[in-house]
Amino acid sequence: MNKTAFQLQDAVRELIGRGVAHATSDDEFYELSRAIFQFQFEQNRIYRAYCERLGQTPANIEHWKQIPAVPTSAFKDFALTCFPVEEAEAGFHTSGTTVDRAGKHYLRTTGLYDAAIRPNFAASLLPDGARLRMMVLTPSPAEAPHSSLSHMMGVVIREFGADGSGFFVERGVLSVKRLVAELRAAVEPVFLLGTAFAFVHLFEHCNLRLEMPEGSRAMETGGFKGRSREMSKPELYAQFEKFLGIPASQIVNEYGMTELSTQFYDETLRAGKQTDHKSVPPWARVLVIDPNTGREAAMNERGLIRVFDLANLWSTMCLQTEDLGVSHGESFEILGRATGTEVRGCSLNAESLRMA
């Protein structure tokens, strides 16, 4: 790492360290995002070629919203890094159909990634300051070193988990019998965390109702966005109450992706009632983009989610997702998936940059 990278990393870490309650003004966010954009423009060859093709460079932007967004699909074609890939401390892979076509996000260090997890998770999942036994329905980081979700779960267990916390997926298989047995024996509140698919699998094999102690809660990471092949979000939450006695007001959906370093959570536990609105921490911004114009959609109008994540220092700070959503001002809502939909003027592929 060069001196500039160290300085930027320290600046982002300081911003994250203030916590989620300390809002950043647009001016403050712009100053730091512009410095990161300059760094990434200089150090990320592919990104620089892309920005130059768009005619958007550090010399001519005047607002953070003008920083070029990279489509998440580009991580399947390029190693989008600001450092030599062989120096990566971690390499997270998306769940593609083949290893070769999986998107890959390389981190020079996991310092900012881990720092971004802690205050956001605590504020959204543990607003009461509880320290609970965590039962995680994913593989451990040791078993799945290229899974960003497993890495995240390892961090939250280490930072916030009570004694007895652990993972319940081994060699790719959910340990249903062991999990159910430990849930039946629970006398203190528990915290269940996992993918929607894992919870569906659990409920399919539950043949009895378990009443979890008061204060128990759950975090699910999707697997549906609007509706999945298994069941809708309301149906899934009804299963939590039916089989575990955990109401929707104690369940939080997490929105994250391999290509980002920051996660976003429903405001349910903070609001004291079930809501699909997700809060945005001070070191990030979320826009909803009209794919037909490439411009920001009006409030409460559907569009594609675009994320600005300052913790993504070592790759690209601004990502264009394929997820549909609406902005509610200080929060946003995920509506579903729009696979194959591309924002006008937002294309980064091997063919267009073959000479980069």
Side-chain angles (χ1 to χ4, degrees), residues 30-241:
Y30 171 63
E31 287 303 314
L32 186 49
S33 64
R34 189 179 186 282
I36 292 174
F37 178 36
Q38 178 76 51
F39 168 70
Q40 294 179 342
F41 183 84
E42 293 173 355
Q43 301 298 323
N44 188 327
R45 179 179 63 88
I46 296 295
Y47 185 51
R48 179 172 65 253
Y50 175 57
C51 293
E52 289 174 339
R53 182 162 63 83
L54 294 177
Q56 294 170 279
T57 71
N60 62 21
I61 68 160
E62 298 178 344
H63 195 277
W64 58 265
K65 293 182 180 180
Q66 298 172 333
I67 295 173
V70 170
T72 53
S73 59
F75 284 77
K76 296 179 181 180
D77 294 322
F78 305 104
L80 290 163
T81 67
C82 297
F83 60 93
V85 170
E86 58 270 19
E87 296 179 4
E89 181 179 306
F92 297 138
H93 299 178
T94 61
S95 53
T97 54
T98 68
V99 174
D100 289 340
R101 285 300 294 160
K104 298 176 182 178
H105 186 199
Y106 299 99
L107 302 180
R108 176 63 180 82
T109 167
T110 59
L112 283 182
Y113 191 98
D114 294 354
I117 291 171
R118 292 188 285 264
N120 205 18
F121 184 91
S124 299
L125 280 303
L126 302 166
D128 53 357
R131 193 170 188 91
L132 306 174
R133 182 183 179 189
M134 295 183 176
M135 299 181 175
V136 181
L137 282 62
T138 73
S140 70
E143 185 170 327
H146 296 302
S147 167
S148 58
L149 179 59
S150 290
H151 178 90
M152 171 194 164
M153 295 300 192
V155 172
V156 299
I157 281 184
R158 184 174 66 246
E159 295 290 329
F160 305 111
D163 291 344
S165 297
F167 296 86
F168 286 81
V169 174
E170 299 173 354
R171 294 181 291 279
V173 178
L174 179 64
S175 302
V176 176
K177 290 184 178 180
R178 179 167 67 92
L179 178 57
V180 170
E182 297 198 21
L183 288 171
R184 291 184 69 178
V187 294
E188 298 290 336
V190 298
F191 190 175
L192 289 156
L193 306 94
T195 63
F197 181 82
F199 284 118
V200 167
H201 185 64
L202 169 64
F203 298 142
E204 285 178 345
H205 291 81
C206 272
N207 55 12
L208 73 166
R209 174 181 168 85
L210 303 171
E211 190 69 37
M212 293 297 97
E214 185 176 353
S216 295
R217 64 201 68 179
M219 185 196 85
E220 53 85 12
T221 67
F224 48 72
K225 285 177 179 145
R227 202 171 171 83
S228 76
R229 64 177 184 176
E230 295 295 331
M231 62 178 64
S232 69
K233 183 174 180 178
E235 289 171 334
L236 177 63
Y237 285 19
Q239 297 286 292
F240 273 101
E241 184 146 27

